mmCIF file of all heavy atoms in Angstrom:
data_model
loop_
_atom_site.group_PDB
_atom_site.id
_atom_site.type_symbol
_atom_site.label_atom_id
_atom_site.label_comp_id
_atom_site.label_asym_id
_atom_site.label_seq_id
_atom_site.Cartn_x
_atom_site.Cartn_y
_atom_site.Cartn_z
ATOM 1 N N PRO N 646 -23.794 11.068 -13.793
ATOM 2 C CA PRO N 646 -23.113 10.182 -14.750
ATOM 3 C C PRO N 646 -21.607 10.440 -14.750
ATOM 4 O O PRO N 646 -21.163 11.598 -14.745
ATOM 5 C CB PRO N 646 -23.737 10.571 -16.095
ATOM 6 C CG PRO N 646 -25.041 11.206 -15.749
ATOM 7 C CD PRO N 646 -24.829 11.891 -14.441
ATOM 8 N N LEU N 647 -20.827 9.377 -14.764
ATOM 9 C CA LEU N 647 -19.370 9.519 -14.773
ATOM 10 C C LEU N 647 -18.902 10.323 -15.985
ATOM 11 O O LEU N 647 -17.948 11.106 -15.886
ATOM 12 C CB LEU N 647 -18.722 8.126 -14.773
ATOM 13 C CG LEU N 647 -17.198 8.076 -14.920
ATOM 14 C CD1 LEU N 647 -16.513 8.818 -13.787
ATOM 15 C CD2 LEU N 647 -16.708 6.643 -14.991
ATOM 16 N N ALA N 648 -19.577 10.150 -17.112
ATOM 17 C CA ALA N 648 -19.172 10.840 -18.340
ATOM 18 C C ALA N 648 -19.172 12.358 -18.173
ATOM 19 O O ALA N 648 -18.454 13.072 -18.875
ATOM 20 C CB ALA N 648 -20.100 10.445 -19.490
ATOM 21 N N ALA N 649 -19.983 12.863 -17.238
ATOM 22 C CA ALA N 649 -20.091 14.308 -17.037
ATOM 23 C C ALA N 649 -19.145 14.827 -15.961
ATOM 24 O O ALA N 649 -19.144 16.015 -15.651
ATOM 25 C CB ALA N 649 -21.533 14.666 -16.666
ATOM 26 N N MET N 650 -18.330 13.935 -15.373
ATOM 27 C CA MET N 650 -17.515 14.347 -14.222
ATOM 28 C C MET N 650 -16.021 14.448 -14.523
ATOM 29 O O MET N 650 -15.221 14.684 -13.619
ATOM 30 C CB MET N 650 -17.733 13.370 -13.060
ATOM 31 C CG MET N 650 -19.126 13.434 -12.463
ATOM 32 S SD MET N 650 -19.543 15.063 -11.793
ATOM 33 C CE MET N 650 -18.581 15.062 -10.271
ATOM 34 N N PHE N 651 -15.616 14.281 -15.777
ATOM 35 C CA PHE N 651 -14.204 14.444 -16.093
ATOM 36 C C PHE N 651 -13.794 15.901 -15.868
ATOM 37 O O PHE N 651 -14.504 16.829 -16.263
ATOM 38 C CB PHE N 651 -13.911 14.029 -17.535
ATOM 39 C CG PHE N 651 -13.974 12.543 -17.756
ATOM 40 C CD1 PHE N 651 -14.903 11.980 -18.610
ATOM 41 C CD2 PHE N 651 -13.105 11.708 -17.081
ATOM 42 C CE1 PHE N 651 -14.966 10.608 -18.801
ATOM 43 C CE2 PHE N 651 -13.149 10.330 -17.264
ATOM 44 C CZ PHE N 651 -14.092 9.778 -18.124
ATOM 45 N N GLY N 652 -12.659 16.098 -15.215
ATOM 46 C CA GLY N 652 -12.173 17.452 -14.965
ATOM 47 C C GLY N 652 -12.905 18.175 -13.848
ATOM 48 O O GLY N 652 -12.725 19.385 -13.672
ATOM 49 N N TYR N 653 -13.713 17.448 -13.082
ATOM 50 C CA TYR N 653 -14.521 18.121 -12.053
ATOM 51 C C TYR N 653 -13.652 18.720 -10.948
ATOM 52 O O TYR N 653 -13.996 19.763 -10.382
ATOM 53 C CB TYR N 653 -15.540 17.147 -11.447
ATOM 54 C CG TYR N 653 -16.546 17.835 -10.554
ATOM 55 C CD1 TYR N 653 -17.462 18.748 -11.087
ATOM 56 C CD2 TYR N 653 -16.585 17.598 -9.186
ATOM 57 C CE1 TYR N 653 -18.375 19.389 -10.280
ATOM 58 C CE2 TYR N 653 -17.507 18.231 -8.365
ATOM 59 C CZ TYR N 653 -18.403 19.130 -8.917
ATOM 60 O OH TYR N 653 -19.311 19.773 -8.111
ATOM 61 N N ALA N 654 -12.527 18.086 -10.635
ATOM 62 C CA ALA N 654 -11.656 18.608 -9.569
ATOM 63 C C ALA N 654 -11.231 20.042 -9.876
ATOM 64 O O ALA N 654 -11.253 20.917 -9.000
ATOM 65 C CB ALA N 654 -10.429 17.705 -9.412
ATOM 66 N N THR N 655 -10.873 20.296 -11.139
ATOM 67 C CA THR N 655 -10.473 21.652 -11.539
ATOM 68 C C THR N 655 -11.658 22.592 -11.523
ATOM 69 O O THR N 655 -11.575 23.735 -11.045
ATOM 70 C CB THR N 655 -9.850 21.618 -12.956
ATOM 71 O OG1 THR N 655 -8.758 20.708 -12.949
ATOM 72 C CG2 THR N 655 -9.373 22.995 -13.371
ATOM 73 N N ASP N 656 -12.815 22.124 -12.029
ATOM 74 C CA ASP N 656 -14.003 22.975 -12.126
ATOM 75 C C ASP N 656 -14.520 23.394 -10.750
ATOM 76 O O ASP N 656 -14.906 24.548 -10.546
ATOM 77 C CB ASP N 656 -15.112 22.254 -12.901
ATOM 78 C CG ASP N 656 -14.735 22.018 -14.355
ATOM 79 O OD1 ASP N 656 -13.797 22.689 -14.828
ATOM 80 O OD2 ASP N 656 -15.357 21.159 -15.007
ATOM 81 N N ILE N 657 -14.549 22.461 -9.797
ATOM 82 C CA ILE N 657 -15.090 22.792 -8.471
ATOM 83 C C ILE N 657 -14.159 23.757 -7.740
ATOM 84 O O ILE N 657 -14.602 24.639 -6.999
ATOM 85 C CB ILE N 657 -15.361 21.511 -7.632
ATOM 86 C CG1 ILE N 657 -16.165 21.830 -6.379
ATOM 87 C CG2 ILE N 657 -14.073 20.810 -7.247
ATOM 88 C CD1 ILE N 657 -17.602 22.173 -6.638
ATOM 89 N N ARG N 658 -12.849 23.609 -7.973
ATOM 90 C CA ARG N 658 -11.899 24.563 -7.373
ATOM 91 C C ARG N 658 -12.136 25.961 -7.934
ATOM 92 O O ARG N 658 -12.138 26.950 -7.203
ATOM 93 C CB ARG N 658 -10.460 24.129 -7.652
ATOM 94 C CG ARG N 658 -9.923 23.094 -6.689
ATOM 95 C CD ARG N 658 -8.408 23.026 -6.721
ATOM 96 N NE ARG N 658 -7.897 22.598 -8.003
ATOM 97 C CZ ARG N 658 -7.649 21.339 -8.335
ATOM 98 N NH1 ARG N 658 -7.870 20.380 -7.453
ATOM 99 N NH2 ARG N 658 -7.189 21.018 -9.525
ATOM 100 N N SER N 659 -12.341 26.041 -9.240
ATOM 101 C CA SER N 659 -12.576 27.331 -9.894
ATOM 102 C C SER N 659 -13.877 27.971 -9.418
ATOM 103 O O SER N 659 -13.935 29.170 -9.158
ATOM 104 C CB SER N 659 -12.605 27.126 -11.412
ATOM 105 O OG SER N 659 -12.928 28.312 -12.070
ATOM 106 N N LEU N 660 -14.922 27.151 -9.285
ATOM 107 C CA LEU N 660 -16.238 27.660 -8.868
ATOM 108 C C LEU N 660 -16.233 28.217 -7.451
ATOM 109 O O LEU N 660 -16.965 29.162 -7.140
ATOM 110 C CB LEU N 660 -17.278 26.536 -8.943
ATOM 111 C CG LEU N 660 -18.009 26.293 -10.258
ATOM 112 C CD1 LEU N 660 -18.918 25.087 -10.117
ATOM 113 C CD2 LEU N 660 -18.837 27.515 -10.654
ATOM 114 N N THR N 661 -15.432 27.607 -6.572
ATOM 115 C CA THR N 661 -15.510 27.933 -5.140
ATOM 116 C C THR N 661 -14.223 28.530 -4.591
ATOM 117 O O THR N 661 -14.011 28.524 -3.373
ATOM 118 C CB THR N 661 -15.851 26.661 -4.334
ATOM 119 O OG1 THR N 661 -14.786 25.708 -4.501
ATOM 120 C CG2 THR N 661 -17.152 26.041 -4.805
ATOM 121 N N SER N 662 -13.365 29.032 -5.473
ATOM 122 C CA SER N 662 -12.075 29.596 -5.058
ATOM 123 C C SER N 662 -11.260 28.605 -4.235
ATOM 124 O O SER N 662 -10.572 28.971 -3.277
ATOM 125 C CB SER N 662 -12.293 30.892 -4.248
ATOM 126 O OG SER N 662 -13.017 31.831 -5.008
ATOM 127 N N GLY N 663 -11.389 27.337 -4.585
ATOM 128 C CA GLY N 663 -10.617 26.292 -3.917
ATOM 129 C C GLY N 663 -11.112 25.921 -2.533
ATOM 130 O O GLY N 663 -10.429 25.200 -1.799
ATOM 131 N N ARG N 664 -12.333 26.346 -2.170
ATOM 132 C CA ARG N 664 -12.817 26.128 -0.794
ATOM 133 C C ARG N 664 -13.737 24.916 -0.656
ATOM 134 O O ARG N 664 -14.132 24.570 0.446
ATOM 135 C CB ARG N 664 -13.529 27.385 -0.289
ATOM 136 C CG ARG N 664 -12.590 28.574 -0.135
ATOM 137 C CD ARG N 664 -13.336 29.834 0.232
ATOM 138 N NE ARG N 664 -14.009 29.712 1.513
ATOM 139 C CZ ARG N 664 -14.967 30.543 1.951
ATOM 140 N NH1 ARG N 664 -15.361 31.546 1.164
ATOM 141 N NH2 ARG N 664 -15.520 30.364 3.128
#
Side-chain angles (χ1 to χ4, degrees):
L647 174 60
M650 292 300 285
F651 288 117
Y653 190 66
T655 303
D656 294 342
I657 191 72
R658 277 198 296 269
S659 175
L660 272 177
T661 63
S662 302
R664 294 174 62 195

